[in-house]
Amino acid sequence: MKSWVGRSILVIGMLHTLVGVVAFHEVLFSILREGLFNTIPLNQQPERETAFWFLFTGLSLLIIGGLVVWIERNNMDTPAFLSWSFLSITTVGAIIMPVSGFWLLFIPTIGLFRRRRNSGAERIQ
C-alpha cells in the first residue's frame, strides 16, 4: 500500500504555516517584539488571535502528519477515531468557512478511510 496520507497532511500543514507566516508577518513580529507572554489578550485583538490560530493549526497538522507517516512506515493501522475526527473537523470547517483551505483536508481524510478499509481486507486474506 502506498504511503501518501501522512505526507499529504504534512504538505497541508507546511502550506498552512507558510501562508500564516507570510500573511501575518507584521502581526507576528509585533507579538515577538512584545515578548510573547500574554501578548494576545482574549477578544481584544482579533488579528493576533487569527494569526495565532493559523500557525497553531498548521503546526498541529505537522505533528499529526508526522504521526501518520510513522504509522504508514511501520505498516500499522491508523486508528478509526483519526479518520472520523478528520472527517468531522473537515466537514464542519468547510461548512462554516467554505472559502478556506478546509477543502484540502478531504484528500487525506479519504485516504485515511481507504487505508483502514484496505488494511482490513489485507488482514482477512
Side-chain angles (χ1 to χ4, degrees):
M1 181 180 322
K2 291 187 180 179
S3 303
W4 61 269
V5 178
R7 287 188 301 236
S8 68
I9 297 169
L10 284 173
V11 167
I12 293 168
M14 285 186 251
L15 286 172
H16 204 276
T17 303
L18 181 63
V19 169
V21 168
V22 170
F24 296 104
H25 67 278
E26 291 178 21
V27 174
L28 295 170
F29 283 129
S30 70
I31 290 170
L32 287 172
R33 277 192 300 272
E34 292 177 27
L36 290 180
F37 182 74
N38 201 26
T39 55
I40 306 176
L42 192 59
N43 297 322
Q44 293 179 20
Q45 295 177 319
E47 192 171 52
R48 284 186 176 202
E49 291 176 26
T50 302
F52 170 79
W53 284 111
F54 211 95
L55 290 181
F56 195 81
T57 300
L59 295 173
S60 296
L61 286 170
L62 289 172
I63 292 167
I64 294 166
L67 176 61
V68 174
V69 166
W70 181 81
I71 288 170
E72 290 173 329
R73 282 191 183 145
N74 289 290
N75 292 319
M76 299 168 63
D77 289 338
T78 51
F81 80 85
L82 185 62
S83 305
W84 289 106
S85 298
F86 252 72
L87 179 62
S88 300
I89 289 170
T90 301
T91 302
V92 170
I95 289 169
I96 292 174
M97 295 177 68
V99 181
S100 70
F102 273 107
W103 298 99
L104 287 175
L105 289 175
F106 278 113
I107 296 166
T109 299
I110 291 166
L112 287 168
F113 278 103
R114 290 190 68 209
R115 179 172 172 72
R116 286 198 53 76
R117 188 188 74 218
N118 291 341
S119 66
E122 290 171 2
R123 251 187 276 122
I124 292 171
Q125 295 175 350

